[in-house]
Amino acid sequence: MTNETSGEKFDLIAIGRACIDLNATEYNRPMEETMTFTKYVGGSPANIAIGSAKLGLKTGFIGKIADDQHGRFIRGYMEKAGIDVSGMVVDQEGHKTGLAFTEIKSPDECSILMYRDDVADLYLQPEEVDEEYIRRANKLVVSGTALAQSPSREAVLKAVHLAKKNGVEIVFELDYRPYTWKSAEETAVYYSLVAQQADIVIGTRDEYDIMENAVGGSNERTTEALFKHAPRIAVIKHGVEGSYAYTREGGTYRAQAYKTKVLKTFGAGDSYASAFLYALVQGKDLETALKYGSASASIVVSRHSSSDAMPAVDEIEALIADQPVLHS
Amino acid sequence: MTNETSGEKFDLIAIGRACIDLNATEYNRPMEETMTFTKYVGGSPANIAIGSAKLGLKTGFIGKIADDQHGRFIRGYMEKAGIDVSGMVVDQEGHKTGLAFTEIKSPDECSILMYRDDVADLYLQPEEVDEEYIRRANKLVVSGTALAQSPSREAVLKAVHLAKKNGVEIVFELDYRPYTWKSAEETAVYYSLVAQQADIVIGTRDEYDIMENAVGGSNERTTEALFKHAPRIAVIKHGVEGSYAYTREGGTYRAQAYKTKVLKTFGAGDSYASAFLYALVQGKDLETALKYGSASASIVVSRHSSSDAMPAVDEIEALIADQPVLHS
Amino acid sequence: MTNETSGEKFDLIAIGRACIDLNATEYNRPMEETMTFTKYVGGSPANIAIGSAKLGLKTGFIGKIADDQHGRFIRGYMEKAGIDVSGMVVDQEGHKTGLAFTEIKSPDECSILMYRDDVADLYLQPEEVDEEYIRRANKLVVSGTALAQSPSREAVLKAVHLAKKNGVEIVFELDYRPYTWKSAEETAVYYSLVAQQADIVIGTRDEYDIMENAVGGSNERTTEALFKHAPRIAVIKHGVEGSYAYTREGGTYRAQAYKTKVLKTFGAGDSYASAFLYALVQGKDLETALKYGSASASIVVSRHSSSDAMPAVDEIEALIADQPVLHS
Amino acid sequence: MTNETSGEKFDLIAIGRACIDLNATEYNRPMEETMTFTKYVGGSPANIAIGSAKLGLKTGFIGKIADDQHGRFIRGYMEKAGIDVSGMVVDQEGHKTGLAFTEIKSPDECSILMYRDDVADLYLQPEEVDEEYIRRANKLVVSGTALAQSPSREAVLKAVHLAKKNGVEIVFELDYRPYTWKSAEETAVYYSLVAQQADIVIGTRDEYDIMENAVGGSNERTTEALFKHAPRIAVIKHGVEGSYAYTREGGTYRAQAYKTKVLKTFGAGDSYASAFLYALVQGKDLETALKYGSASASIVVSRHSSSDAMPAVDEIEALIADQPVLHS
């Protein structure tokens, strides 16, 4: 850490993976017929950091990147986006950057071909998580995928421990991806452990089911269980049917999805989280924060990338002002 | 679980490893010169279960044993000791029983040659931990070594989660063994995580230092940090200088070590824990419970094994009544 | 194997990896500044098969491909190139396609960013190598990289065993890549083992040094050692200084490199091997075969890809006829 | 290597594992009821070296031992048996000594409980095999089990390569043990590879079937295939029906098993090999060598250990002279 930054405070620090998306340049076809791919920064916590920084939040990032051209591209891009990258560690053991080749057959048929074996981000070590850095944050944004494997798992558990100890608010973005996890039970163990210590939990209904190792869970049961522990807000997203925020005090809020011309479904969750957190930091009420999240998500799904496409504040606010909601 | 046992309540259920000790039959020499070895059940939580059962507690055990002669010997021995073994799972993937060859050069120079690579106990899976079984316990005794590797780690974290959920008291025996753990940071992460959720924590001063990833920690700082979380009792052992119990309410108790003719140092901690917990279950006060622990430990170190040598209640009480304490 | 192909004979069958090259669409810059990549089939034995097929040889391929879009692209491309793909096996264990991102800073500064951890081609198993298929070949082309890891290593050793048993000529393309190999000693053990059983060995001087686990080896010592065993021809390439062929009978031949406008250095070796083998199959003498190899290599290094750029016979022959040699 | 030994020649050098046998002290019962175990050196190549040294051969050993009490016991025992241990390497990575707990329920029902995961002997590295040491041997005795895993596999392949290069005769004791090997195909690949380079191959009929990855193989087919390659003698053992030796020149010899009071079946093969090789070194004819092997085997199966029980020359010769053969 340089002297210049040592006193700086962050609205949020995200911890977890920063990867490369290789998006089909020619889309609306099977990937077998795509001959060129365009490179973007990707990975849920990196996208949230980029989205937040673009909205004007002071943002930091903790993660491990490969010591190669892809790793350097990621750090350079995030730095240019205004993110403090002093918490990013360069891998020294030859691990590679995670890759996501996206296939866009149609707006409804998107899939991702993942390269996640032994990728650098999963090798972040607990000793590389610095208490002084974390205490400079107002919020720590934890991505569930970073819990999928050791030592990244322990690095994140340590970060959560240090955040609690130093009064830093913990935001847990469930961000569940089946690869890397060994079993449903294993996932549920670590998701529960972190959710119980978080202040704000954000995820889709399906992701909460994963956390509970259950099928067809209900928002009522989920929030009842969560509010026995640390959480004060739980955001549960139900796709085109909109999203809900629940508070420990018993409040329930709902936002509807905004109409948009969908190009692909990737990146919706990350843009949602960054705009929602931006609104909270600005002191907006929960109902408004949900609208920011929804609007931001519908902008990103209409565009080609997940990171580069993150909207500015005025785009989000214009959409909220002008557009009718999808379901009344 | 059979019908007969389904309603039974346990004073305690221990979770973790049950292994084989191969104790030098000819001792007071280097192991290179020992030509025969005597077989005993070993492993801290198994020893605690055996010690507790021998003292008359209703005891259960959760753990994974090898599908071979050693595994069957362990289950048979524990069953004969009066322990409910319905929570023991037989490994189906060819993992072996952990082994400990003990070398007794002199009472002061003991060492253990461990076989712990890929042993069956570390393959207990979270899906093999049963909520119905755990809720039948008054106390769940967790051994720190069971946290050293996946999937045993997740099985224990799940057991802790289920114990909390069902109001079962958690006793965390730090039981630190350097093998299997990858780093000091990793150990500290999981030790802290479980200690913060436990009701009673038991360990040596050195083990608490491991938990804090610190050197030269003090009992004051340790207990101050612990009592911000769930623990209500912390027992900290200082070898021949005796042991301390601290309570959340501010009480401090000390027991001194009993004079004995030491044969070897193995097994002291396990016999301490079983007698200490026995006394608590009997409703003895903390000061008396510490004496039971101390007396039991000094009996076991004078004998050849750690499990078979576990004393009966009258032996412990006779020692407390008759023997002068080692340091006044 | 379908009935139609069961009787077909192959001029050559190549065994080993078929991967994806992602070539910088914008080149003459560091990869950090390349934003789009063009997809090609890659991997030395796949390139040799494609090059040979394009020259008109009857060609088969044995290898394992991923069960995903990249795997299907590879098989589709090779099939269209006229290669028999009935010996290609689809991985069922989630392994991914190997990737090579190529960076072309300048004709002299090329590098490759490799994704080779746990890739599908290294999981070809010995039971997937079929004796009936191999005996249909005139030559079996073995790539050294396929020896780098089990079970691909054993699959290739079995293929070599079956080729010897059935009188199929073995061509060993050393194709040394440092990744995946654990040590220089390990590489030397397997390279020696296969080279001693091969009929024709092809490699650069540096690759022969790797085979001998030596520094600064000489062609004389190399060929003296090789000709004590099965080899009858050894081709040793010295870059722009040209290449040599040695025969067991004592013949020495040399071909010089052809002048070309180099775009990048990748793919030279594979195009060399396919044209050299094509010429041998056509019954050309060794000196002419070396020229075919040299000419083909210089055509490929002037083009963007390694596989798609493989020349036709008339292009090679035109270059041999028209172009002056680089060094006289 | 010390100066004193640098010029010494060896009748044979064995390469592979040296382990610990823990033999049931109380036998004729299930191991669950055995409470004490007696420690011996074990492992086929170690036993052959011990047996050979006891018969008076100049013997060396190449292998890796654990850096612990068991490793030191092994080296000390072998050194006292007269074996040159300068080729034994001490593991520096914490690997343990292989263990074999033997269960003797009855002379017909013997089983072994093996500890072979990540054991030190399988970590012998090719760079630890010294050409100067190997060239001092008349014969190199290779154990098949040492081929089961890398890097021991490559160390043995290198030793075979160096033996061939230096005119040292290779004896391949198939010594097949199912543990550690991944598949039947993998075993067959390496067994074939080494058998084809060996001068003398020794094994049971079952072991030859493993080498051929076949069921119900015949000695005729086995020897026909072998004699196309390097072997000049193949010994095929058929248990109580006796053993056969075949020569490349077409000779066939048979020895019958000697009557004995069998205590257990372990160690028969190793004692057979050492006495057979001893006889060859003494210049005895093949028929006599087979008798030495048979007699030595029947002495060892009547005794408690496999290494300590290796007979002296006069015991073997007395048995050959006095005892009737088991089957006429």
PDB file of all heavy atoms in Angstrom, chain A residues 202-221:
ATOM      1  N   ILE A 202     -27.722 -10.918  -0.761  1.00  0.00           N
ATOM      2  CA  ILE A 202     -28.370 -10.692  -2.056  1.00  0.00           C
ATOM      3  C   ILE A 202     -28.248 -11.957  -2.895  1.00  0.00           C
ATOM      4  O   ILE A 202     -27.147 -12.498  -3.036  1.00  0.00           O
ATOM      5  CB  ILE A 202     -27.696  -9.539  -2.832  1.00  0.00           C
ATOM      6  CG1 ILE A 202     -27.668  -8.256  -1.990  1.00  0.00           C
ATOM      7  CG2 ILE A 202     -28.403  -9.286  -4.170  1.00  0.00           C
ATOM      8  CD1 ILE A 202     -26.893  -7.097  -2.643  1.00  0.00           C
ATOM      9  N   GLY A 203     -29.361 -12.418  -3.458  1.00  0.00           N
ATOM     10  CA  GLY A 203     -29.274 -13.590  -4.328  1.00  0.00           C
ATOM     11  C   GLY A 203     -30.598 -13.846  -5.002  1.00  0.00           C
ATOM     12  O   GLY A 203     -31.615 -13.209  -4.695  1.00  0.00           O
ATOM     13  N   THR A 204     -30.593 -14.796  -5.927  1.00  0.00           N
ATOM     14  CA  THR A 204     -31.850 -15.216  -6.542  1.00  0.00           C
ATOM     15  C   THR A 204     -32.511 -16.246  -5.624  1.00  0.00           C
ATOM     16  O   THR A 204     -31.860 -16.845  -4.764  1.00  0.00           O
ATOM     17  CB  THR A 204     -31.604 -15.877  -7.911  1.00  0.00           C
ATOM     18  OG1 THR A 204     -30.863 -17.082  -7.685  1.00  0.00           O
ATOM     19  CG2 THR A 204     -30.780 -14.980  -8.829  1.00  0.00           C
ATOM     20  N   ARG A 205     -33.778 -16.478  -5.849  1.00  0.00           N
ATOM     21  CA  ARG A 205     -34.494 -17.492  -5.067  1.00  0.00           C
ATOM     22  C   ARG A 205     -33.773 -18.841  -5.189  1.00  0.00           C
ATOM     23  O   ARG A 205     -33.617 -19.564  -4.193  1.00  0.00           O
ATOM     24  CB  ARG A 205     -35.943 -17.606  -5.575  1.00  0.00           C
ATOM     25  CG  ARG A 205     -36.836 -18.591  -4.849  1.00  0.00           C
ATOM     26  CD  ARG A 205     -37.026 -18.265  -3.385  1.00  0.00           C
ATOM     27  NE  ARG A 205     -36.371 -19.267  -2.548  1.00  0.00           N
ATOM     28  CZ  ARG A 205     -36.173 -19.119  -1.241  1.00  0.00           C
ATOM     29  NH1 ARG A 205     -36.557 -18.026  -0.597  1.00  0.00           N
ATOM     30  NH2 ARG A 205     -35.558 -20.052  -0.560  1.00  0.00           N
ATOM     31  N   ASP A 206     -33.313 -19.168  -6.385  1.00  0.00           N
ATOM     32  CA  ASP A 206     -32.597 -20.432  -6.582  1.00  0.00           C
ATOM     33  C   ASP A 206     -31.326 -20.488  -5.746  1.00  0.00           C
ATOM     34  O   ASP A 206     -30.962 -21.540  -5.213  1.00  0.00           O
ATOM     35  CB  ASP A 206     -32.217 -20.607  -8.057  1.00  0.00           C
ATOM     36  CG  ASP A 206     -33.426 -20.923  -8.927  1.00  0.00           C
ATOM     37  OD1 ASP A 206     -34.522 -21.201  -8.378  1.00  0.00           O
ATOM     38  OD2 ASP A 206     -33.284 -20.887 -10.163  1.00  0.00           O
ATOM     39  N   GLU A 207     -30.643 -19.378  -5.652  1.00  0.00           N
ATOM     40  CA  GLU A 207     -29.405 -19.358  -4.869  1.00  0.00           C
ATOM     41  C   GLU A 207     -29.697 -19.534  -3.369  1.00  0.00           C
ATOM     42  O   GLU A 207     -28.940 -20.205  -2.656  1.00  0.00           O
ATOM     43  CB  GLU A 207     -28.642 -18.056  -5.126  1.00  0.00           C
ATOM     44  CG  GLU A 207     -28.030 -18.019  -6.529  1.00  0.00           C
ATOM     45  CD  GLU A 207     -27.356 -16.690  -6.883  1.00  0.00           C
ATOM     46  OE1 GLU A 207     -27.826 -15.629  -6.389  1.00  0.00           O
ATOM     47  OE2 GLU A 207     -26.375 -16.708  -7.649  1.00  0.00           O
ATOM     48  N   TYR A 208     -30.766 -18.970  -2.904  1.00  0.00           N
ATOM     49  CA  TYR A 208     -31.124 -19.199  -1.492  1.00  0.00           C
ATOM     50  C   TYR A 208     -31.469 -20.676  -1.261  1.00  0.00           C
ATOM     51  O   TYR A 208     -31.176 -21.236  -0.203  1.00  0.00           O
ATOM     52  CB  TYR A 208     -32.297 -18.303  -1.073  1.00  0.00           C
ATOM     53  CG  TYR A 208     -31.885 -16.876  -0.754  1.00  0.00           C
ATOM     54  CD1 TYR A 208     -32.011 -15.869  -1.693  1.00  0.00           C
ATOM     55  CD2 TYR A 208     -31.360 -16.555   0.496  1.00  0.00           C
ATOM     56  CE1 TYR A 208     -31.635 -14.554  -1.406  1.00  0.00           C
ATOM     57  CE2 TYR A 208     -30.979 -15.249   0.796  1.00  0.00           C
ATOM     58  CZ  TYR A 208     -31.114 -14.254  -0.158  1.00  0.00           C
ATOM     59  OH  TYR A 208     -30.731 -12.975   0.148  1.00  0.00           O
ATOM     60  N   ASP A 209     -32.093 -21.309  -2.254  1.00  0.00           N
ATOM     61  CA  ASP A 209     -32.358 -22.750  -2.120  1.00  0.00           C
ATOM     62  C   ASP A 209     -31.056 -23.540  -2.000  1.00  0.00           C
ATOM     63  O   ASP A 209     -30.952 -24.492  -1.221  1.00  0.00           O
ATOM     64  CB  ASP A 209     -33.169 -23.256  -3.327  1.00  0.00           C
ATOM     65  CG  ASP A 209     -34.641 -22.843  -3.257  1.00  0.00           C
ATOM     66  OD1 ASP A 209     -35.038 -22.204  -2.248  1.00  0.00           O
ATOM     67  OD2 ASP A 209     -35.389 -23.146  -4.195  1.00  0.00           O
ATOM     68  N   ILE A 210     -30.061 -23.147  -2.776  1.00  0.00           N
ATOM     69  CA  ILE A 210     -28.740 -23.779  -2.686  1.00  0.00           C
ATOM     70  C   ILE A 210     -28.170 -23.597  -1.278  1.00  0.00           C
ATOM     71  O   ILE A 210     -27.657 -24.535  -0.670  1.00  0.00           O
ATOM     72  CB  ILE A 210     -27.779 -23.141  -3.724  1.00  0.00           C
ATOM     73  CG1 ILE A 210     -28.198 -23.485  -5.163  1.00  0.00           C
ATOM     74  CG2 ILE A 210     -26.330 -23.541  -3.452  1.00  0.00           C
ATOM     75  CD1 ILE A 210     -28.000 -24.922  -5.549  1.00  0.00           C
ATOM     76  N   MET A 211     -28.284 -22.398  -0.760  1.00  0.00           N
ATOM     77  CA  MET A 211     -27.772 -22.100   0.587  1.00  0.00           C
ATOM     78  C   MET A 211     -28.446 -22.987   1.634  1.00  0.00           C
ATOM     79  O   MET A 211     -27.826 -23.431   2.592  1.00  0.00           O
ATOM     80  CB  MET A 211     -28.026 -20.636   0.925  1.00  0.00           C
ATOM     81  CG  MET A 211     -27.553 -20.228   2.308  1.00  0.00           C
ATOM     82  SD  MET A 211     -27.877 -18.470   2.605  1.00  0.00           S
ATOM     83  CE  MET A 211     -29.483 -18.590   3.427  1.00  0.00           C
ATOM     84  N   GLU A 212     -29.719 -23.264   1.406  1.00  0.00           N
ATOM     85  CA  GLU A 212     -30.482 -24.058   2.371  1.00  0.00           C
ATOM     86  C   GLU A 212     -30.448 -25.544   2.027  1.00  0.00           C
ATOM     87  O   GLU A 212     -31.041 -26.349   2.746  1.00  0.00           O
ATOM     88  CB  GLU A 212     -31.935 -23.540   2.411  1.00  0.00           C
ATOM     89  CG  GLU A 212     -32.014 -22.110   2.937  1.00  0.00           C
ATOM     90  CD  GLU A 212     -33.339 -21.406   2.625  1.00  0.00           C
ATOM     91  OE1 GLU A 212     -34.214 -22.046   2.007  1.00  0.00           O
ATOM     92  OE2 GLU A 212     -33.474 -20.226   2.991  1.00  0.00           O
ATOM     93  N   ASN A 213     -29.762 -25.891   0.956  1.00  0.00           N
ATOM     94  CA  ASN A 213     -29.731 -27.280   0.475  1.00  0.00           C
ATOM     95  C   ASN A 213     -31.156 -27.843   0.441  1.00  0.00           C
ATOM     96  O   ASN A 213     -31.441 -28.934   0.935  1.00  0.00           O
ATOM     97  CB  ASN A 213     -28.828 -28.142   1.358  1.00  0.00           C
ATOM     98  CG  ASN A 213     -28.427 -29.441   0.670  1.00  0.00           C
ATOM     99  OD1 ASN A 213     -28.552 -29.575  -0.547  1.00  0.00           O
ATOM    100  ND2 ASN A 213     -27.968 -30.415   1.448  1.00  0.00           N
ATOM    101  N   ALA A 214     -32.055 -27.044  -0.127  1.00  0.00           N
ATOM    102  CA  ALA A 214     -33.474 -27.390  -0.128  1.00  0.00           C
ATOM    103  C   ALA A 214     -34.042 -27.162  -1.519  1.00  0.00           C
ATOM    104  O   ALA A 214     -33.425 -26.506  -2.352  1.00  0.00           O
ATOM    105  CB  ALA A 214     -34.217 -26.499   0.862  1.00  0.00           C
ATOM    106  N   VAL A 215     -35.207 -27.705  -1.761  1.00  0.00           N
ATOM    107  CA  VAL A 215     -35.895 -27.486  -3.026  1.00  0.00           C
ATOM    108  C   VAL A 215     -37.176 -26.717  -2.727  1.00  0.00           C
ATOM    109  O   VAL A 215     -37.890 -27.029  -1.772  1.00  0.00           O
ATOM    110  CB  VAL A 215     -36.227 -28.828  -3.702  1.00  0.00           C
ATOM    111  CG1 VAL A 215     -37.046 -28.610  -4.977  1.00  0.00           C
ATOM    112  CG2 VAL A 215     -34.948 -29.584  -4.016  1.00  0.00           C
ATOM    113  N   GLY A 216     -37.463 -25.688  -3.520  1.00  0.00           N
ATOM    114  CA  GLY A 216     -38.717 -24.952  -3.353  1.00  0.00           C
ATOM    115  C   GLY A 216     -38.846 -24.234  -2.031  1.00  0.00           C
ATOM    116  O   GLY A 216     -39.895 -24.288  -1.383  1.00  0.00           O
ATOM    117  N   GLY A 217     -37.772 -23.591  -1.594  1.00  0.00           N
ATOM    118  CA  GLY A 217     -37.827 -22.833  -0.352  1.00  0.00           C
ATOM    119  C   GLY A 217     -38.729 -21.606  -0.498  1.00  0.00           C
ATOM    120  O   GLY A 217     -39.050 -21.193  -1.610  1.00  0.00           O
ATOM    121  N   SER A 218     -39.139 -21.047   0.630  1.00  0.00           N
ATOM    122  CA  SER A 218     -39.979 -19.850   0.562  1.00  0.00           C
ATOM    123  C   SER A 218     -39.223 -18.677   1.170  1.00  0.00           C
ATOM    124  O   SER A 218     -38.384 -18.847   2.068  1.00  0.00           O
ATOM    125  CB  SER A 218     -41.282 -20.073   1.323  1.00  0.00           C
ATOM    126  OG  SER A 218     -41.049 -19.975   2.709  1.00  0.00           O
ATOM    127  N   ASN A 219     -39.537 -17.473   0.686  1.00  0.00           N
ATOM    128  CA  ASN A 219     -38.887 -16.275   1.208  1.00  0.00           C
ATOM    129  C   ASN A 219     -39.151 -16.123   2.702  1.00  0.00           C
ATOM    130  O   ASN A 219     -38.294 -15.634   3.449  1.00  0.00           O
ATOM    131  CB  ASN A 219     -39.386 -15.038   0.451  1.00  0.00           C
ATOM    132  CG  ASN A 219     -38.937 -15.058  -1.007  1.00  0.00           C
ATOM    133  OD1 ASN A 219     -38.265 -15.994  -1.444  1.00  0.00           O
ATOM    134  ND2 ASN A 219     -39.301 -14.020  -1.756  1.00  0.00           N
ATOM    135  N   GLU A 220     -40.333 -16.536   3.145  1.00  0.00           N
ATOM    136  CA  GLU A 220     -40.674 -16.390   4.558  1.00  0.00           C
ATOM    137  C   GLU A 220     -39.731 -17.218   5.420  1.00  0.00           C
ATOM    138  O   GLU A 220     -39.155 -16.737   6.391  1.00  0.00           O
ATOM    139  CB  GLU A 220     -42.134 -16.837   4.796  1.00  0.00           C
ATOM    140  CG  GLU A 220     -43.162 -15.885   4.210  1.00  0.00           C
ATOM    141  CD  GLU A 220     -43.084 -15.737   2.673  1.00  0.00           C
ATOM    142  OE1 GLU A 220     -42.806 -16.749   1.980  1.00  0.00           O
ATOM    143  OE2 GLU A 220     -43.269 -14.615   2.165  1.00  0.00           O
ATOM    144  N   ARG A 221     -39.590 -18.507   5.057  1.00  0.00           N
ATOM    145  CA  ARG A 221     -38.714 -19.378   5.852  1.00  0.00           C
ATOM    146  C   ARG A 221     -37.260 -18.897   5.784  1.00  0.00           C
ATOM    147  O   ARG A 221     -36.537 -18.919   6.771  1.00  0.00           O
ATOM    148  CB  ARG A 221     -38.816 -20.830   5.392  1.00  0.00           C
ATOM    149  CG  ARG A 221     -40.045 -21.545   5.943  1.00  0.00           C
ATOM    150  CD  ARG A 221     -39.904 -23.056   5.828  1.00  0.00           C
ATOM    151  NE  ARG A 221     -39.718 -23.484   4.446  1.00  0.00           N
ATOM    152  CZ  ARG A 221     -40.722 -23.781   3.611  1.00  0.00           C
ATOM    153  NH1 ARG A 221     -41.968 -23.721   4.025  1.00  0.00           N
ATOM    154  NH2 ARG A 221     -40.480 -24.152   2.387  1.00  0.00           N
TER     155      ARG A 221
END
